[in-house]
Amino acid sequence: MQSQYRLSTRMSRDVRDLFIRIGLIAMLVVFSYQVFQPFLELMLWSVILAVTLYPLQRWLQARLGLRDGRAATLIVVVALLLLLVPVYLLALSLSDSLDALVILLKSGDWSLPAPPDSVAGWPLVGPRLHAAWLSASGDLTSALHRLLPHLKGSGRALLGALANISAALLLFIAALIIAGICMAFGENGLSAAQRIAARVSGPERGPHIVKLCTSTIRAVAQGVIGIAFIQMLLVGVGFVAIGVPGAGILAFVVLLLGIVQLPATLITVPVIVYVFSTQGFDVATIVFAVYSVVAGLADNVLKPLLLGRGVDVPMPVVLFGALGGMVVKGIIGLFLGPVILAVAYKLFWLWVDEQRQEDVADLGHPD
């Protein structure tokens, strides 16, 4: 009787100690997450960039004989130049345009030309647009006063969008620098990832899970950038052929929109309107409009073809993961969604195959 009482007391003490340990671990995890949470998106982007660019680093090391740190530094410097130089030129062009606009407004010698007669023939919006344009061309000051309340709200929205774009650009630059540091210690990072995966899913599955995650991230990144680049070329060729001013800058904006998963029609539709208003309706402009619409929607066809190449899961899993992740978590969900869905898909079928192997073994060795 006394031994049973001691056993019961020991079990209750062990259970109490277990709950205390679980509580302390939970508190530690929650507090650690709260401390790390402001840097979570930055570190996720850094890991995604490091995984994507690491094969390029290995290629540079093999070709140029560079060390890990120097190859990673070279990649980061070139990437920053490719990113910042066009942004600087675009900002410089916008600054010059704003300066010219301010000078024009101060001089008072500004007016709006009368609209072409072809604008009135546009479907749906043509007559209203022609009337508003004609009224503004006669008295631009009164028209601006009427539009001023609407322009204030649009200006605030535009400033907010510019602030968000600037913050995203700074975040990407910081993530690129941290990714370079991660690539400099790429072998240690790979070993650590395999050890963590082996501890979570077992020594046999661990390396395979790590390989699946890295291949999925690279496939999505290469697919997104590759699709955006192809779309930039398609749209840019049309802009150059029809003679759109600033065709190169507009094509580069299409590339940026494709990378951040925004539709290229944000650029192609205004350009089509501009071409129709300046060159009228003829065979060349109509062909250009149809071509630009098709080129702007080409990503909807290319995504199912390019996403998921080289990944050991069906393409629909990667595609649904990318689209669903983007809806739930934005741009970063474009990468996290396919990784999570691919790992879940693979673990599910590994679990199914294990059960089937056990059933076969039981049938082969009956009691």
Side-chain angles (χ1 to χ4, degrees), residues 6 41-42 52 58 97 113 128 133 189 200 202 226 259 267 312 316 339 356 360:
R6 290 178 179 176
E41 186 174 358
L42 174 63
T52 303
R58 299 295 298 270
S97 301
R128 290 185 179 182
W133 192 342
V200 173
I259 292 175
I267 299 296
D312 190 21
V339 171
R356 185 174 62 181
V360 171

PDB file of all heavy atoms in Angstrom, residues 6 41-42 52 58 97 113 128 133 189 200 202 226 259 267 312 316 339 356 360:
ATOM      1  N   ARG A   6       3.720   5.815  -2.787  1.00  0.00           N
ATOM      2  CA  ARG A   6       4.948   6.465  -3.267  1.00  0.00           C
ATOM      3  C   ARG A   6       4.981   6.552  -4.790  1.00  0.00           C
ATOM      4  O   ARG A   6       5.400   7.560  -5.361  1.00  0.00           O
ATOM      5  CB  ARG A   6       6.155   5.678  -2.767  1.00  0.00           C
ATOM      6  CG  ARG A   6       6.388   5.790  -1.261  1.00  0.00           C
ATOM      7  CD  ARG A   6       7.559   4.938  -0.849  1.00  0.00           C
ATOM      8  NE  ARG A   6       7.818   5.047   0.582  1.00  0.00           N
ATOM      9  CZ  ARG A   6       8.755   4.340   1.230  1.00  0.00           C
ATOM     10  NH1 ARG A   6       9.500   3.455   0.536  1.00  0.00           N
ATOM     11  NH2 ARG A   6       8.910   4.491   2.513  1.00  0.00           N
ATOM     12  N   GLU A  41      10.133  38.740 -41.740  1.00  0.00           N
ATOM     13  CA  GLU A  41      10.003  38.872 -43.193  1.00  0.00           C
ATOM     14  C   GLU A  41      11.361  39.120 -43.843  1.00  0.00           C
ATOM     15  O   GLU A  41      11.647  38.572 -44.917  1.00  0.00           O
ATOM     16  CB  GLU A  41       9.048  40.020 -43.523  1.00  0.00           C
ATOM     17  CG  GLU A  41       8.740  40.139 -45.004  1.00  0.00           C
ATOM     18  CD  GLU A  41       7.688  41.174 -45.304  1.00  0.00           C
ATOM     19  OE1 GLU A  41       7.162  41.771 -44.332  1.00  0.00           O
ATOM     20  OE2 GLU A  41       7.388  41.394 -46.488  1.00  0.00           O
ATOM     21  N   LEU A  42      12.193  39.928 -43.190  1.00  0.00           N
ATOM     22  CA  LEU A  42      13.531  40.188 -43.723  1.00  0.00           C
ATOM     23  C   LEU A  42      14.337  38.901 -43.828  1.00  0.00           C
ATOM     24  O   LEU A  42      14.995  38.638 -44.856  1.00  0.00           O
ATOM     25  CB  LEU A  42      14.249  41.199 -42.830  1.00  0.00           C
ATOM     26  CG  LEU A  42      15.722  41.487 -43.152  1.00  0.00           C
ATOM     27  CD1 LEU A  42      15.854  42.112 -44.527  1.00  0.00           C
ATOM     28  CD2 LEU A  42      16.327  42.391 -42.077  1.00  0.00           C
ATOM     29  N   THR A  52      18.113  30.799 -53.790  1.00  0.00           N
ATOM     30  CA  THR A  52      17.983  31.009 -55.238  1.00  0.00           C
ATOM     31  C   THR A  52      19.325  31.291 -55.893  1.00  0.00           C
ATOM     32  O   THR A  52      19.616  30.793 -56.994  1.00  0.00           O
ATOM     33  CB  THR A  52      17.020  32.178 -55.500  1.00  0.00           C
ATOM     34  OG1 THR A  52      15.752  31.896 -54.871  1.00  0.00           O
ATOM     35  CG2 THR A  52      16.805  32.376 -56.992  1.00  0.00           C
ATOM     36  N   ARG A  58      28.141  28.903 -56.750  1.00  0.00           N
ATOM     37  CA  ARG A  58      28.952  27.709 -57.016  1.00  0.00           C
ATOM     38  C   ARG A  58      29.519  27.752 -58.429  1.00  0.00           C
ATOM     39  O   ARG A  58      30.665  27.336 -58.667  1.00  0.00           O
ATOM     40  CB  ARG A  58      28.094  26.451 -56.822  1.00  0.00           C
ATOM     41  CG  ARG A  58      27.533  26.285 -55.426  1.00  0.00           C
ATOM     42  CD  ARG A  58      28.641  26.077 -54.401  1.00  0.00           C
ATOM     43  NE  ARG A  58      29.393  24.881 -54.676  1.00  0.00           N
ATOM     44  CZ  ARG A  58      29.087  23.676 -54.176  1.00  0.00           C
ATOM     45  NH1 ARG A  58      28.038  23.539 -53.378  1.00  0.00           N
ATOM     46  NH2 ARG A  58      29.836  22.632 -54.459  1.00  0.00           N
ATOM     47  N   SER A  97      11.250  65.748 -64.951  1.00  0.00           N
ATOM     48  CA  SER A  97       9.892  66.018 -65.432  1.00  0.00           C
ATOM     49  C   SER A  97       9.124  66.909 -64.456  1.00  0.00           C
ATOM     50  O   SER A  97       8.405  67.829 -64.861  1.00  0.00           O
ATOM     51  CB  SER A  97       9.137  64.704 -65.643  1.00  0.00           C
ATOM     52  OG  SER A  97       9.802  63.891 -66.584  1.00  0.00           O
ATOM     53  N   PRO A 113      -4.047  71.027 -75.312  1.00  0.00           N
ATOM     54  CA  PRO A 113      -4.520  71.053 -76.701  1.00  0.00           C
ATOM     55  C   PRO A 113      -5.892  70.407 -76.829  1.00  0.00           C
ATOM     56  O   PRO A 113      -6.300  69.589 -76.005  1.00  0.00           O
ATOM     57  CB  PRO A 113      -3.449  70.249 -77.448  1.00  0.00           C
ATOM     58  CG  PRO A 113      -2.828  69.377 -76.408  1.00  0.00           C
ATOM     59  CD  PRO A 113      -2.874  70.165 -75.137  1.00  0.00           C
ATOM     60  N   ARG A 128     -17.992  61.200 -73.539  1.00  0.00           N
ATOM     61  CA  ARG A 128     -17.760  61.929 -72.292  1.00  0.00           C
ATOM     62  C   ARG A 128     -16.325  62.422 -72.198  1.00  0.00           C
ATOM     63  O   ARG A 128     -16.070  63.558 -71.769  1.00  0.00           O
ATOM     64  CB  ARG A 128     -18.081  61.013 -71.100  1.00  0.00           C
ATOM     65  CG  ARG A 128     -19.558  60.706 -70.935  1.00  0.00           C
ATOM     66  CD  ARG A 128     -19.792  59.905 -69.665  1.00  0.00           C
ATOM     67  NE  ARG A 128     -21.191  59.613 -69.452  1.00  0.00           N
ATOM     68  CZ  ARG A 128     -21.663  58.954 -68.395  1.00  0.00           C
ATOM     69  NH1 ARG A 128     -20.818  58.506 -67.459  1.00  0.00           N
ATOM     70  NH2 ARG A 128     -22.961  58.734 -68.276  1.00  0.00           N
ATOM     71  N   TRP A 133     -12.452  66.711 -72.167  1.00  0.00           N
ATOM     72  CA  TRP A 133     -11.169  67.164 -72.705  1.00  0.00           C
ATOM     73  C   TRP A 133     -11.322  68.510 -73.430  1.00  0.00           C
ATOM     74  O   TRP A 133     -10.508  69.415 -73.280  1.00  0.00           O
ATOM     75  CB  TRP A 133     -10.625  66.100 -73.663  1.00  0.00           C
ATOM     76  CG  TRP A 133      -9.203  66.281 -74.085  1.00  0.00           C
ATOM     77  CD1 TRP A 133      -8.450  67.420 -74.001  1.00  0.00           C
ATOM     78  CD2 TRP A 133      -8.358  65.288 -74.675  1.00  0.00           C
ATOM     79  NE1 TRP A 133      -7.198  67.209 -74.494  1.00  0.00           N
ATOM     80  CE2 TRP A 133      -7.109  65.905 -74.910  1.00  0.00           C
ATOM     81  CE3 TRP A 133      -8.531  63.958 -75.024  1.00  0.00           C
ATOM     82  CZ2 TRP A 133      -6.053  65.234 -75.505  1.00  0.00           C
ATOM     83  CZ3 TRP A 133      -7.479  63.280 -75.604  1.00  0.00           C
ATOM     84  CH2 TRP A 133      -6.241  63.904 -75.832  1.00  0.00           C
ATOM     85  N   GLY A 189      25.343  26.367 -43.635  1.00  0.00           N
ATOM     86  CA  GLY A 189      23.888  26.507 -43.623  1.00  0.00           C
ATOM     87  C   GLY A 189      23.187  25.266 -44.129  1.00  0.00           C
ATOM     88  O   GLY A 189      22.165  24.846 -43.570  1.00  0.00           O
ATOM     89  N   VAL A 200      13.640  16.594 -37.176  1.00  0.00           N
ATOM     90  CA  VAL A 200      12.188  16.733 -37.208  1.00  0.00           C
ATOM     91  C   VAL A 200      11.529  15.543 -37.897  1.00  0.00           C
ATOM     92  O   VAL A 200      10.545  14.985 -37.387  1.00  0.00           O
ATOM     93  CB  VAL A 200      11.801  18.052 -37.922  1.00  0.00           C
ATOM     94  CG1 VAL A 200      10.290  18.133 -38.124  1.00  0.00           C
ATOM     95  CG2 VAL A 200      12.284  19.244 -37.113  1.00  0.00           C
ATOM     96  N   GLY A 202      13.286  12.684 -39.285  1.00  0.00           N
ATOM     97  CA  GLY A 202      14.040  11.445 -39.339  1.00  0.00           C
ATOM     98  C   GLY A 202      15.258  11.551 -40.234  1.00  0.00           C
ATOM     99  O   GLY A 202      15.271  12.343 -41.185  1.00  0.00           O
ATOM    100  N   GLY A 226      11.854  34.532 -64.706  1.00  0.00           N
ATOM    101  CA  GLY A 226      11.888  34.202 -66.129  1.00  0.00           C
ATOM    102  C   GLY A 226      10.633  34.651 -66.857  1.00  0.00           C
ATOM    103  O   GLY A 226      10.709  35.209 -67.966  1.00  0.00           O
ATOM    104  N   ILE A 259       7.678  40.777 -61.482  1.00  0.00           N
ATOM    105  CA  ILE A 259       8.359  40.199 -60.322  1.00  0.00           C
ATOM    106  C   ILE A 259       7.489  40.280 -59.076  1.00  0.00           C
ATOM    107  O   ILE A 259       7.429  39.346 -58.269  1.00  0.00           O
ATOM    108  CB  ILE A 259       9.709  40.888 -60.106  1.00  0.00           C
ATOM    109  CG1 ILE A 259      10.668  40.544 -61.260  1.00  0.00           C
ATOM    110  CG2 ILE A 259      10.337  40.476 -58.778  1.00  0.00           C
ATOM    111  CD1 ILE A 259      11.975  41.277 -61.202  1.00  0.00           C
ATOM    112  N   ILE A 267       0.347  48.790 -67.367  1.00  0.00           N
ATOM    113  CA  ILE A 267       1.157  49.604 -68.280  1.00  0.00           C
ATOM    114  C   ILE A 267       0.607  49.547 -69.697  1.00  0.00           C
ATOM    115  O   ILE A 267       0.516  50.565 -70.393  1.00  0.00           O
ATOM    116  CB  ILE A 267       2.623  49.147 -68.263  1.00  0.00           C
ATOM    117  CG1 ILE A 267       3.202  49.312 -66.853  1.00  0.00           C
ATOM    118  CG2 ILE A 267       3.459  49.923 -69.262  1.00  0.00           C
ATOM    119  CD1 ILE A 267       3.273  50.743 -66.380  1.00  0.00           C
ATOM    120  N   ASP A 312      10.262  17.667 -57.550  1.00  0.00           N
ATOM    121  CA  ASP A 312       9.795  16.286 -57.488  1.00  0.00           C
ATOM    122  C   ASP A 312       8.370  16.204 -56.950  1.00  0.00           C
ATOM    123  O   ASP A 312       8.062  15.359 -56.109  1.00  0.00           O
ATOM    124  CB  ASP A 312      10.749  15.468 -56.612  1.00  0.00           C
ATOM    125  CG  ASP A 312      10.453  13.973 -56.716  1.00  0.00           C
ATOM    126  OD1 ASP A 312       9.836  13.564 -57.712  1.00  0.00           O
ATOM    127  OD2 ASP A 312      10.826  13.235 -55.781  1.00  0.00           O
ATOM    128  N   PRO A 316       0.747  21.063 -60.675  1.00  0.00           N
ATOM    129  CA  PRO A 316      -0.388  21.752 -60.046  1.00  0.00           C
ATOM    130  C   PRO A 316      -0.169  22.042 -58.563  1.00  0.00           C
ATOM    131  O   PRO A 316      -0.683  23.033 -58.048  1.00  0.00           O
ATOM    132  CB  PRO A 316      -1.556  20.776 -60.257  1.00  0.00           C
ATOM    133  CG  PRO A 316      -1.185  20.009 -61.472  1.00  0.00           C
ATOM    134  CD  PRO A 316       0.311  19.858 -61.402  1.00  0.00           C
ATOM    135  N   VAL A 339       6.424  25.800 -51.142  1.00  0.00           N
ATOM    136  CA  VAL A 339       7.288  24.998 -50.281  1.00  0.00           C
ATOM    137  C   VAL A 339       6.462  24.206 -49.274  1.00  0.00           C
ATOM    138  O   VAL A 339       6.633  22.988 -49.107  1.00  0.00           O
ATOM    139  CB  VAL A 339       8.308  25.897 -49.559  1.00  0.00           C
ATOM    140  CG1 VAL A 339       9.064  25.107 -48.497  1.00  0.00           C
ATOM    141  CG2 VAL A 339       9.297  26.489 -50.558  1.00  0.00           C
ATOM    142  N   ARG A 356       1.384   1.071 -46.650  1.00  0.00           N
ATOM    143  CA  ARG A 356       1.242   0.010 -47.641  1.00  0.00           C
ATOM    144  C   ARG A 356       2.371  -1.013 -47.510  1.00  0.00           C
ATOM    145  O   ARG A 356       2.147  -2.215 -47.626  1.00  0.00           O
ATOM    146  CB  ARG A 356       1.250   0.624 -49.043  1.00  0.00           C
ATOM    147  CG  ARG A 356       0.982  -0.382 -50.154  1.00  0.00           C
ATOM    148  CD  ARG A 356       0.866   0.311 -51.494  1.00  0.00           C
ATOM    149  NE  ARG A 356       2.129   0.976 -51.836  1.00  0.00           N
ATOM    150  CZ  ARG A 356       2.301   1.671 -52.955  1.00  0.00           C
ATOM    151  NH1 ARG A 356       1.300   1.812 -53.802  1.00  0.00           N
ATOM    152  NH2 ARG A 356       3.467   2.236 -53.206  1.00  0.00           N
ATOM    153  N   VAL A 360       2.011  -5.027 -46.769  1.00  0.00           N
ATOM    154  CA  VAL A 360       2.635  -6.054 -47.590  1.00  0.00           C
ATOM    155  C   VAL A 360       3.502  -6.966 -46.745  1.00  0.00           C
ATOM    156  O   VAL A 360       3.544  -8.199 -46.918  1.00  0.00           O
ATOM    157  CB  VAL A 360       3.451  -5.398 -48.726  1.00  0.00           C
ATOM    158  CG1 VAL A 360       4.297  -6.440 -49.467  1.00  0.00           C
ATOM    159  CG2 VAL A 360       2.524  -4.677 -49.699  1.00  0.00           C
TER     160      VAL A 360
END
